[in-house]
Amino acid sequence: MHKSFKVENRLDYRILRWILAVALISGVIVSAIQVVLDAQRVSTDLDNQASQTIAMVKDASTQAVFSIDADLANQVVDGLFAREAVRLAQILHANGEPLSSRERPLTESVFRPLINWMFGAERQFRTELMRNGNSDTVYGYFVVHYDTAPAANIWLGRAIVTFTSVIATAVILGMVLYFVFYMLLTRPLLRIVNSVKQVDPAHPDDRLIATPSGHEKDELGHWVKATNTLLIAIGKSQERQREAEDRVSRLARYDQLTGLLSRDSFMDMLQADIEESKRNHTLLSVIVCGIDDFKSINDQCGFRTGDLTLQTVADRLMSCLNGSRFTIARLGGDQFVIVEKGLKDGFQAADTAEAILARISETMGVEGHNVSMTATLGIALYPSDAIQPDRLLQSAEQTMMLAKQKGRDHFQFYVASIDQEIRDRKQLEKDLSQALAMDQFHLVYQPQIDLQTKRVIGAEALLRWEHPVRGLVPPDYFIPVSENNGSIVEIGQWVLEQACLQAKLWADKGLPLRVAVNLSAVQLRQDRIVDDILGTLKRYDIPAGRLELEVTETSFMTNLSDAVAKLHALNRAGISLAVDDFGTGYSSLTYLKKMPVQHLKIDKQFIRDLLINEEDTRITNTIIDLGRSLNLTVVAEGVETAEQEYYLSQRGCKLAQGYFFSKPLRPAVFETFVQGFHQKIIENNA
Ligand code: C2E
Ligand code: CA
Ligand code: CA
């Protein structure tokens, strides 16, 4: 934890340096003063010692010089030399002749220069020798020289001790202070620094600074507490800031009145939805919904009711369009927008539009008022009408405005042709739902010919719709519509009954023909279909072998095992089965083997260009060969020429139907045709 710090920058280290420096400098000054004072004392001591010594030997020396006693003089001088410090001692006559003299060299010392400088190399003393009471007569002189080194050496030793002890004290004091400072300040401060580093600037109050233990009550503890209080305050203020920002963005994203998306966020969603549709290759519809006459609701019932009305519309839109396919937003005012993605075609958009209109027009009670309202919708489709979100929305808005001019409570598509097509189809759907009840359907029968015997062996029943205004509507147009809305189940049952009735009538007239009925995939998916068909056969009292059902490959691919089971049940009952439009779908041998089918119908698209288009000829041949090897009877459909008929019969195709023999006919005409056809054969043979 101290790594990030250079030691020399740390407070404790700097304190150590300061203390060392101050202690050393002051110690040195104080001890220098001490040492100098000591030196002065040593110097005076030297002088005092000398005067004492002189006083001590003065009498004996005077006696020796007075009585010219060299022995005594030598005794005195030798006695003095016992002292180490005495370098020279002399007793002189008054004329300066020495009575006794002795000297030795100065003691050697490395500190000699210092000693010489401080105290001088030696101290010299000279005293006149006189007798007591007669102070005028000088008998001689006493001379003594003292070497300063012995005293100076002692002084030096003391000075060294003084200096070292001062330095040692400074160092020890410095170290102790350094340690105390480190423990009390540096270490807890570094811990605090570490703790501060872990504070998250985004959420400063999530993790507060830890108080170093033992410092709860001192300045550090107070500091940490104060800082933490600040952090908490910052955190709170940040949170308030965030909340405010959230509120602002929510306000911007959602419409306050209805809680739906606002226009801006809707555009983002639309962009994303468009990208998704692009990836999935699906269509997308933008439906702009404007409330009809909203202004008058506002005027008559007040703004509050107006607001409640808008909220109700929003609720209704959300309840009737739930699911991730839909995005709903309020564009502002009385306008809403709905996006539906994952569409297969525009018709689905029309269905949604109808559902919206129906839901909105339900009456509602708003504050005692019984408000009933309607809406007008404008629809634009991606990608056909526009591919950019803003253009798409604009198209839908324009369409809604245009539609409002034409009336209320309806929808309109952006592109006129699509609008017309969808309108037509919606009308057709409506008409179709009444066609059965209004008896507008009838069946025609197209003969099926045995190509070898040239006899009519059966007929395919084909549905015709005589529309009161449009005339004959082709089944290729209305059958998909009725499959889409499910009405094919009822219509198909009617066809089956008519066909059975006809088979019965023909049988009674001596025309035992097999009638082929087209069975739609939607019919085959019904759970009750097998019972319905067998029940019908029973009711009309015709043998099951008289009925053939034509199914397309696609109709049993969706739920193969279910279809196989149903077809088996029908086949077991004696009904024969044909695969219609063979060659246009999967044409897989695997399922063909599983299917209890007896007939393969070669689609008319291959027969049309037979002998002209090589590939169509090859496919036809393949189907005929396949039928032979699987033991299935092959029926060629759409035979229009003698060449086709001849080729097919030569190639081994068993049965055929087509305009070459006859168009689909009304039952009465059919009977005449059969008689005439058989008559012609007999004549030809004759
Ligand atoms: P599909 O089952 O393939 O019927 C054969 C269609 O080919 C019939 O058209 C028939 O009129 C037509 N056709 C027959 N011979 C020739 C020919 O030589 N040349 C040409 N160009 N066409 C020929 P249609 O009656 O318009 O029926 C069309 C389709 O409508 C049928 O095709 C069938 O899929 C469906 N359909 C008709 N009636 C019914 C029905 O009662 N129920 C169901 N589910 N579908 C039906
Ligand atoms: Ca058919
Ligand atoms: Ca066909």
Side-chain angles (χ1 to χ4, degrees), residues 42 67 144 210 213 250 277 317 349 370 649:
V42 168
S67 50
V144 66
S213 58
R250 229 189 355 261
S277 301
L317 286 176
N370 237 354
S649 69

Side-chain angles (χ1 to χ4, degrees), residues 443-444 446 460-464 473-480 482-483 488 491-492 495-496 517-521 523 550 552 580-581 601 603-604 607-608 637-641 644 657-664:
L443 293 185
V444 289
Q446 186 172 38
E460 178 178 3
L462 293 159
L463 183 60
R464 293 294 175 262
V473 182
D476 279 332
Y477 188 53
F478 73 83
I479 297 275
S482 68
E483 283 180 330
I488 188 68
I491 297 172
V495 171
L496 185 68
V517 171
N518 291 286
L519 189 71
S520 151
Q523 285 175 278
E550 294 189 3
T552 56
D580 206 354
D581 302 344
K601 290 190 84 172
D603 192 69
K604 59 180 176 290
I607 304 299
R608 189 180 59 214
E637 163 187 275
V639 179
E640 292 188 359
T641 65
Q644 292 165 347
Q657 73 183 83
Y659 296 170
F660 175 66
F661 308 106
S662 167
K663 290 205 165 183

Side-chain angles (χ1 to χ4, degrees), residues 172-342:
I172 289 167
L173 201 69
M175 293 305 287
V176 168
L177 271 175
Y178 165 79
F179 183 71
V180 169
F181 199 84
Y182 173 78
M183 293 304 282
L184 283 182
L185 220 53
T186 301
R187 198 168 66 160
L189 273 178
L190 286 172
R191 284 193 182 150
I192 290 173
V193 165
N194 212 41
S195 186
V196 168
K197 277 186 193 157
Q198 291 176 15
V199 172
D200 177 4
H203 301 273
D205 49 344
D206 272 8
R207 193 173 175 157
L208 294 174
I209 304 172
T211 313
S213 58
H215 293 270
E216 290 80 3
K217 289 189 174 133
D218 62 15
E219 295 90 323
L220 286 179
H222 283 286
W223 183 77
V224 168
K225 233 181 269 169
T227 310
N228 279 343
T229 314
L230 180 66
L231 288 181
I232 291 170
I234 293 175
K236 285 233 172 73
S237 126
Q238 280 186 354
E239 196 173 308
R240 275 197 298 276
Q241 171 92 14
R242 265 196 296 274
E243 275 169 12
E245 277 168 8
D246 279 1
R247 212 168 34 242
V248 168
S249 85
R250 229 189 355 261
L251 286 183
R253 280 181 62 74
Y254 293 96
D255 172 53
Q256 261 183 297
L257 180 66
T258 60
L260 294 176
L261 287 174
S262 66
R263 192 182 189 115
D264 285 344
S265 33
F266 166 75
M267 290 311 282
D268 295 342
M269 299 283 278
L270 179 57
Q271 176 72 55
D273 285 345
I274 285 178
E275 272 155 26
E276 188 184 325
S277 301
K278 193 174 178 178
R279 276 197 305 278
N280 301 342
H281 304 289
T282 53
L283 304 187
L284 173 149
S285 70
V286 175
I287 304 179
V288 168
C289 165
I291 312 293
D292 294 328
D293 272 338
F294 180 71
K295 210 175 149 311
S296 68
I297 297 181
N298 247 350
D299 292 347
Q300 283 166 24
C301 313
F303 284 111
R304 230 190 105 62
T305 309
D307 283 355
L308 285 174
T309 310
L310 291 175
Q311 282 167 349
T312 310
V313 171
D315 291 346
R316 287 182 172 184
L317 286 176
M318 279 194 284
S319 70
C320 98
L321 309 171
N322 54 9
S324 57
R325 279 197 356 258
F326 298 101
T327 307
I328 310 170
R330 182 174 171 216
L331 289 178
D334 60 347
Q335 287 186 18
F336 297 85
V337 63
I338 297 105
V339 170
E340 184 178 6
K341 57 188 177 187

Side-chain angles (χ1 to χ4, degrees), residues 563-580:
V564 170
K566 285 170 178 169
L567 294 181
H568 265 294
L570 293 170
N571 192 234
R572 267 200 307 274
I575 299 171
S576 69
L577 300 171
V579 182
D580 206 354

